[in-house]
Amino acid sequence: MRFLLIFLVVLVLAWRWRTWRASEQQRRKPDTPPKVTDMVRCAQCGVHVPANEAVVGQKGQYCSTAHRLTMEP
């Protein structure tokens, strides 16, 4: 009976140590900052959109193909 009690105490201590260690590692992990992207202004409506999502036309950059077509023939 004594052996079983000691065994259970060791198991509980090992479990608590592992959970504490895992939480410490999560706290130390630095958060990655969001990626910064250039914003451009739509030549038609003035809305700012990410440069990689903008529609490029002869007279500038637009937020959508519809706005590009209204400004350019």
Side-chain angles (χ1 to χ4, degrees), residues 4-60:
L4 182 60
L5 182 63
I6 292 172
F7 182 71
L8 288 175
V9 168
V10 169
L11 279 178
V12 168
L13 290 176
W15 174 73
R16 295 285 291 156
W17 180 73
R18 287 187 68 193
T19 56
W20 173 78
R21 199 169 131 220
S23 67
E24 285 292 316
Q25 288 177 350
Q26 284 182 341
R27 275 190 245 149
R28 289 184 196 162
K29 189 181 285 187
D31 293 335
T32 56
K35 293 182 180 178
V36 178
T37 180
D38 292 333
M39 301 292 280
V40 295
R41 188 169 186 237
C42 175
Q44 171 71 20
C45 65
V47 170
H48 288 84
V49 295
N52 61 345
E53 295 179 17
V55 179
V56 180
Q58 292 177 348
K59 296 182 181 179

